[in-house]
Amino acid sequence: FVSDMGYEVIADIDPTTLIIDPTVSKESYVPAGPLVYDKNGIKIWAEMAARIDENSIDVVFYIKNLTSKCIVCTDNFENDILLDGTPATALFVADMLPYTEIFSSMSFFTLQDDGITETPSTLAFTLEIYDSRTYEDIDIVPIEFTLQFFD
């Protein structure tokens, strides 16, 4: 049929309301890595690292947002990411709805350009968590931990 605006409508679907109940818990996944952040209703585990090739690694985080806020977890873009004390270029942005759990990766694509030729054993960076609706900071904190590589 043709809509009031003159567009052809292929499907007319009633809107769906998503209800998120914070009292219902689905404890189906048990994190294996170290808990690197646990404040303000947000928990972050460093699950594992994986070498993609000689120039790239991914560090996988498991993140729980137990708050009623939409949040973003990021490396705060201050270029302070260190692998074994050497500055490194990475991308890490985890955008989350309230009461959700996700896996998110910090990806390194230019290890050789950054002067990193050996597999690193530690990661340090400044974690920034903010409310994605108001852009108000929830926390800015240094994080450092030993990488656990997946074989």
Side-chain angles (χ1 to χ4, degrees):
F1 71 92
V2 177
S3 74
D4 296 339
M5 301 287 291
Y7 299 109
E8 182 180 356
V9 176
I10 296 172
D12 187 15
I13 302 171
D14 290 330
T16 302
T17 302
L18 176 62
I19 300 172
I20 300 171
D21 184 354
T23 62
V24 176
S25 177
K26 304 178 302 291
E27 292 295 330
S28 58
Y29 180 76
V30 178
L35 183 65
V36 296
Y37 182 86
D38 185 5
K39 288 197 284 187
N40 304 310
I42 300 160
K43 295 183 178 197
I44 302 175
W45 288 265
E47 283 298 273
M48 68 168 195
R51 186 140 199 138
I52 307 305
D53 58 35
E54 66 277 348
N55 205 33
S56 309
I57 63 170
D58 275 349
V59 178
V60 179
F61 295 95
Y62 177 63
I63 307 170
K64 280 188 176 185
N65 177 11
L66 304 172
T67 74
S68 60
K69 297 178 181 180
C70 293
I71 65 167
V72 173
C73 301
T74 184
D75 60 88
N76 94 340
F77 306 109
E78 293 294 328
N79 298 324
D80 69 344
I81 300 169
L82 303 173
L83 289 170
D84 289 342
T86 302
T89 306
L91 175 64
F92 172 59
V93 178
D95 195 354
M96 299 183 69
L97 294 172
Y99 308 107
T100 57
E101 304 170 17
I102 66 168
F103 288 96
S104 186
S105 295
M106 178 180 280
S107 299
F108 297 83
F109 299 111
T110 60
L111 294 178
Q112 291 177 344
D113 291 345
D114 293 333
I116 300 168
T117 57
E118 301 294 321
T119 300
S121 61
T122 62
L123 171 62
F125 67 99
T126 301
L127 173 69
E128 179 178 5
I129 303 171
Y130 62 89
D131 184 314
S132 64
R133 294 206 171 128
T134 65
Y135 296 101
E136 179 180 322
D137 282 328
I138 295 171
D139 205 357
I140 298 177
V141 61
I143 300 288
E144 185 171 1
F145 57 91
T146 300
L147 295 169
Q148 298 178 1
F149 277 87
F150 177 76
D151 294 326

